[in-house]
């Protein structure tokens, strides 16, 4: 009886690990394709990663937003940046900036403005992490004026 329980637990843990590795592999392949500017293909792998249990959803949605933005599909980029932003993952503060930018690009100025304002409010917390956030801060302050 104890051997069966042990075997079941071992099989369960092994299956969980395999599922997690699949998601990681999809993300890694998507990243490789993204670096090669193969955005259409990268999209397919990021979507597959989202279907896997244990995937880094905040990253996958952010990466999808990036792919669609580079393909000038601003409606899809907006959707994916919003999904990433809604997860409130502090690793991706630019999700809010790009979400607001896509809203503006899609003519949704009334929704873009509060998102730019929220970005301007939260991004100073990241200034020590990377100097580039200061540039996005300045850009967001300028761009939000175009939404008023």
């Amino acid at each position: 009886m104890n051997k069966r329980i042990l075997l079941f637990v071992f099989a369960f843990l092994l299956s969980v690990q395999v599922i997690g590795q699949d998601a990681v592999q999809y993300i890694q392949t998507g990243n490789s394709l993204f670096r090669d500017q193969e955005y259409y293909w990268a999209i397919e792998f990021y979507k597959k990663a989202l279907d896997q249990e244990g995937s880094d959803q905040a990253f996958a949605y952010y990466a999808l937003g990036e792919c669609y933005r580079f393909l000038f599909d601003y409606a899809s980029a907006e959707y994916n940046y919003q999904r990433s932003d809604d997860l409130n993952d502090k690793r991706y503060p630019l999700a809010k900036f790009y979400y607001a930018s896509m809203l503006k690009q899609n003519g949704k100025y009334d929704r873009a403005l509060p998102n730019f304002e929220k970005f301007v409010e939260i991004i100073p917390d990241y200034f020590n992490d990377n100097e580039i956030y200061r540039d996005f801060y300045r850009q967001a302050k300028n761009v939000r004026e175009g939404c008023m």
Side-chain angles (χ1 to χ4, degrees):
M1 181 84 169
N2 284 340
K3 287 182 183 181
R4 283 186 181 171
I5 293 173
L6 224 65
L7 184 60
F8 174 76
V9 170
F10 178 74
F12 175 76
L13 291 175
L14 185 61
S15 68
V16 169
Q17 184 178 6
V18 168
I19 289 170
Q21 285 181 345
D22 287 341
V24 169
Q25 289 171 347
Y26 285 133
I27 293 285
Q28 289 173 343
T29 303
N31 289 345
S32 178
L33 290 163
F34 184 89
R35 281 190 299 276
D36 292 340
Q37 299 177 351
E38 297 286 347
Y39 304 121
Y40 287 109
W41 287 106
I43 286 168
E44 294 307 313
F45 283 91
Y46 292 135
K47 283 181 176 179
K48 286 180 182 181
L50 285 170
D51 292 337
Q52 300 296 311
E53 193 171 316
S55 69
D56 184 352
Q57 290 197 344
F59 176 79
Y61 282 121
Y62 183 80
L64 282 166
E66 292 284 87
C67 288
Y68 285 119
R69 182 169 61 94
F70 287 130
L71 293 171
F72 306 102
D73 182 348
Y74 299 129
S76 296
E78 174 190 326
Y79 171 81
N80 285 284
Y81 285 129
Q82 180 183 18
R83 295 294 301 265
S84 181
D85 183 49
D86 286 347
L87 293 170
N88 292 315
D89 191 319
K90 299 216 182 280
R91 295 175 297 163
Y92 308 106
L94 294 181
K96 183 162 295 298
F97 174 84
Y98 285 122
Y99 173 52
S101 296
M102 294 305 101
L103 286 167
K104 183 176 183 266
Q105 184 70 33
N106 293 327
K108 302 172 184 174
Y109 304 109
D110 58 324
R111 291 177 46 206
L113 181 59
N115 280 284
F116 277 122
E117 289 174 345
K118 180 68 175 167
F119 176 79
V120 167
E121 179 185 313
I122 66 166
I123 202 63
D125 295 341
Y126 294 87
F127 283 173
N128 292 332
D129 295 343
N130 191 332
E131 185 64 29
I132 198 165
Y133 292 131
R134 291 181 191 275
D135 295 333
F136 280 97
Y137 174 78
R138 286 189 286 274
Q139 187 177 352
K141 285 182 76 170
N142 290 333
V143 172
R144 72 178 178 178
E145 302 302 320
C147 295
M148 293 182 179

